[in-house]
Structure formats: structure tokens, C-alpha cells
Amino acid sequence: MPVIKYPRVRDPLFYEWDRKAQKSGLRHTIYAVNGDQYTGEWLDNLKHGKGTQIWKSTGAIYSGDWKFGKRDGYGSYSILDPVTKEYRRVYTGWWENDRRGGRGMFFYPNGELYEGEWSNGLRSGWGKMHYKDGSTYEGQWLSDQHNGQGLLRLPNGNRYEGGWKDGKKHGPGKYFYPDKGQLLEGIWVADIPKCGVLVDFGRDNAPDPTQFPLPEIELHDPAGVLAEARATFDDSHN
């Protein structure tokens, strides 16, 4: 009995083309229509895993972790200097949902540096900022501003320790003047000291002390006065 052979049923060619176009696993460089290029790992047509992206319009480059098409995990972002044509590091650290999130270091064009925590692309949490004038701030941040408890050190050695709100000294704090050998302890509101006690502090070792020491003022309970002022401040801001 003769054997009848039927032609093998094959899927349409576009099925095969679509299968080959699907990106999963490690791939060579893929170029987008706008000229951006990506080299790295994929999952279901999304950048996922380790990879490097270069944006054609700006020349910026990101190398690090990806999750479902977004920068997520640890990575480094650099931009191309238009003058030197060399890459300048901008941020190295952790990312969440395509934004800076977690701990990281940000390098500003003017030479300033922030190292600390981020949330939704903004400085939030605990961090330290090195300013171009030589001053530093270390403490709590919220939405890119000093907020909470922090320490500000100035180039001349003076420092402020205490509360902050919206980037300004706010609440109980201490301002040290080691150059003069004095200390101001009091309550600040929007960068302005509203009340406090100024005393000599390390005056004998100060490089530029005042001509005369501060006179001692007899207070029945100086600590109680400040405590009462703090309580009044807290009540008025709750």
C-alpha cells in the first residue's frame, strides 16, 4: 500500500520573525529608533538584569541594574562633558523605579558632593553635603532640604547643632563660636534666633576672643528657662 506523505504544516513566516525579535536573556547592542543604544540583559522585551544604556541626544550613560525596563538596583550615571568630551560621573548608588533611591553619591558640576540617602530622586533621610565654600552639613534631609536634626560646620570653625525645617535652622539648637569662645543656646525660627542664652565657651583657647568676658547673669534656673522656651515652641508648632 503506498504511503501518502502530507506536507508539514508550518507557521507563517511572521511568527518566526516575531519569535526572533523577542528579547530575553543576554543580547548584543540593541539600537532604538531615536538612536539610543542598550547592551545587556532582557526579560520579555524589557531591560532586566545587568546592562548599559547610552542616550544619543545627551551622550549620557548608565551602567548597572535594571528591573522591568527601569533603572532599579545599583548603578552609575555619567554625562559627557561638552568641552573636554570626557565622561563626568554624576551619581553612583542605588536606584528605585528609575529614580535615585537608597544610598548614593551625587557629584555636582560646581564640585559639591552629597553622600547619603535618597527617595524619589531627592535627598531624603540621613546624608552629608560638602559645599563649595568649604562648609558641610550632616544630618536629616527631606525633599532636598535640611529637615530634622543636623550639624552645620562653617569654614571658620563655627558650627550649629540642632533642629532644621525647610532648609533653615528651626527649633532648639546650639551655635558654637570657637573663634570667639562663645556659645549661643536657644530657639530658632526660620533661621532667626528668637531667644537664648549666650555664654563664654572655651574662651581661654579661642584664637580671637572678645575683649572682655561675658558678665555672669544670675538666673534662678537657666536650664528651666530654656526648657520652658522649648515647651512653648513645641506647643506653638504642633
Side-chain angles (χ1 to χ4, degrees):
M1 183 176 178
V3 178
I4 300 176
K5 294 183 177 180
Y6 294 96
R8 187 175 60 176
V9 178
R10 302 187 61 180
D11 292 331
L13 283 177
F14 66 83
Y15 282 178
E16 179 70 12
W17 295 338
D18 184 67
R19 184 185 65 79
K20 291 182 177 180
Q22 298 299 312
K23 296 182 283 293
S24 287
L26 183 62
R27 295 291 296 264
H28 294 298
T29 302
I30 301 295
Y31 292 87
V33 176
N34 62 2
D36 295 347
Q37 61 186 72
Y38 172 81
T39 304
E41 297 175 303
W42 298 77
L43 179 65
D44 296 333
N45 278 336
L46 295 174
K47 302 160 192 168
H48 192 88
K50 302 290 185 182
T52 299
Q53 165 104 6
I54 300 177
W55 287 265
K56 182 180 180 181
S57 60
T58 62
I61 181 172
Y62 169 82
S63 183
D65 296 326
W66 297 79
K67 187 175 182 180
F68 301 117
K70 296 181 179 180
R71 292 168 291 186
D72 201 296
Y74 191 85
S76 182
Y77 179 79
S78 303
I79 61 174
L80 190 64
D81 190 299
V83 178
T84 65
K85 303 301 181 182
E86 295 181 352
Y87 278 99
R88 179 180 64 81
R89 184 171 50 171
V90 175
Y91 177 78
T92 298
W94 292 90
W95 301 73
E96 293 178 357
N97 198 30
D98 221 31
R99 295 182 176 183
R100 295 182 291 274
R103 292 195 61 83
M105 298 176 64
F106 193 95
F107 303 84
Y108 293 84
N110 61 2
E112 294 181 344
L113 167 68
Y114 172 80
E115 46 186 337
E117 296 176 310
W118 297 79
S119 179
N120 292 321
L122 301 176
R123 292 168 291 183
S124 291
W126 191 271
K128 185 174 184 178
M129 184 76 187
H130 302 261
Y131 294 96
K132 63 180 180 180
D133 65 356
S135 60
T136 62
Y137 170 82
E138 183 173 10
Q140 294 174 301
W141 296 74
L142 181 64
S143 299
D144 260 353
Q145 293 186 321
H146 310 162
N147 211 93
Q149 293 295 308
L151 166 62
L152 175 67
R153 294 182 181 273
L154 301 178
N156 63 2
N158 293 353
R159 70 184 188 275
Y160 168 81
E161 303 176 14
W164 297 81
K165 183 179 179 182
D166 299 329
K168 297 180 179 180
K169 305 177 195 69
H170 197 83
K174 298 179 180 180
Y175 204 111
F176 295 84
Y177 301 89
D179 56 336
K180 301 294 184 181
Q182 294 179 333
L183 163 64
L184 172 63
E185 182 176 3
I187 305 295
W188 274 257
V189 176
D191 248 1
I192 300 173
K194 291 297 184 177
C195 68
V197 177
L198 182 66
V199 297
D200 286 326
F201 184 83
R203 186 175 182 277
D204 293 339
N205 298 320
D208 186 24
T210 54
Q211 184 177 0
F212 301 103
L214 290 170
E216 294 186 4
I217 300 177
E218 293 293 336
L219 289 176
H220 175 66
D221 185 9
V225 172
L226 285 177
E228 184 178 351
R230 292 192 187 98
T232 303
F233 173 85
D234 293 338
D235 291 340
S236 63
H237 289 81
N238 288 333

